[in-house]
Amino acid sequence: MKLAKVFTVFRKDLKDVLRDRRTLIFMLLLPTAALPLLMMGVTRFMLRTQIKREKQTVLIAIRGDHKEVFRRLLEDRRLKYDPALLYAALQLSAPESMKKLRARRGELSTEDQAELALAVLGRDATSDRLQLTKKEIQEFRDEARRSRMGMGISKEQMKTALGGEAIRKVLDMSEFVEPTELDALGGSGKSPPAETYPDWVREDEEALVYADAITSKRIQAALVLPDDLEQVLSGGTGGAAAKIYYDSTIPTSKEAESRLRGALKALGDLFLQDRLKERGLPPTFIEPVSVTDSNIAPRKKRIQALLGGMLPYVIILFCFLGAFYPAVDLGAGEKERFTLETLLLSPASRYEIAAGKFLVIFLCSMTAAVLGLASMAWTLTKGLPSEIMAMLDISFDPLALVVGILLTIPVASVFASILLSVSIYARSFKEAQTYAVPLQMLIILPAMASMIPGVEVSWKLAMIPIVNVSVVMREFMKGDYRWDFFAITLASTLLVAAIAIVFAGKWFNREEVIFRN
């Protein structure tokens, strides 16, 4: 085999491939533009949807007498949470940002302090009351995250503050309607037949009325309270049972349920604190054993472990897609264009022609994989909304990226060899696609091994093609450098690649394969 002839075929086929629009889309446009734009668009859409849902006013059905009692209880206790605790912690953890805000607004009122602290904690992307933009709120968060003090808030302080926020959402961002007014409300949905509801709903007339109103989107939830709620709570010993009707498949209904549950929980916690104080009992009386979550894995490593399961799958998929169309075009495509016969009449041998085509397909596959890896790394570290990036705080170790590229080399060789063999066997471009699509399914399933919980690297997995690359790449992405498994994975995958390359060469040398048509 003469390398000069191999590279002559390589240059000729590379020019043909670069003229093909489908190859350019899958090799260049998809990994560098489509994937980042899709990720950025989806994350921004999800973030805006969540913020919009959290700010949306929800309709809650509740009896008039229950509504007055419920609202009075919430109003009496909404000011019992202390926003000054959060505000003091914020002053310690973000002094520079606080200095800028004071220079512009002066000293803040108690309401402004609560608004600022809760906005920085992540309740809203902006603060309308303080006229703070998303960027300014993010500056507070970034400074607090960089500070050694952090947001120095105890578990009980945070619990109390968030309980007060839950009460505020129900009082200020919810509207209560009488059950008798439900028929007059307009809905954007259609109630399903009564047979589709669970038995307990059909057997309860009140539940059926609320279910129809919720599924037709006339209301978002319904709250039923005991008639003696206020007396039971003020009695100091008894307990009350509340019932919330909602539909977990409707996002706004789920949001309404979350608000009601949070407010009722906060209400119960405040009454419990009052009862303990009246009896001179400490909080440990009701919680004799407390458990502290002490995860030794740094937050950064936990995020990397999550991403490490997704990235190998995406890289392997791009590796396959990058090789797909060039392989189909250089085999079956040349048969349809009747240019393969001309190439076979050249001084280059069959093995030299196969080697040149293999190198083109391999190059396209590696290009798509490397560009996909680079675009994913850029998108996750630079391209996502600032709120998401500050929360995730993602960074990639260059060594892990290099290892990922090295593991992709034998995988690209396997894909290039197999797809070239399939393409040269097919009679037409369409037939080659028919053969190659099932191969894609066979590639996707093992590539998903990195996303399966509980799958750990082992000597057995290190011998299984594609699965080994996916799992070992995941370990390196999350910072666990298993060089022994890397070596055996690289060796076993290179062996499979060598076998596939030899098979492709022999397959290309058979007349009954090339001239099937």
Side-chain angles (χ1 to χ4, degrees), residues 19 44 49 98 100 171 179 245 263 280 305 308 351 426 481 498 500:
R19 293 191 187 105
R44 280 176 168 78
T49 302
M98 287 298 307
K100 292 180 183 178
L171 288 174
Y245 292 97
Y351 285 109
Y481 298 104

Side-chain angles (χ1 to χ4, degrees), residues 381-398:
T381 54
K382 303 291 184 182
L384 296 180
S386 56
E387 297 89 342
I388 303 294
M389 289 174 58
M391 180 178 63
L392 297 179
D393 190 21
I394 301 172
S395 63
F396 290 97
D397 186 353

Side-chain angles (χ1 to χ4, degrees), residues 166-182:
I167 292 175
R168 185 197 69 82
K169 279 189 175 182
V170 171
L171 288 174
D172 299 345
M173 302 172 64
S174 305
E175 292 183 8
F176 299 106
V177 296
E178 294 269 4
T180 55
E181 301 173 357
L182 294 180

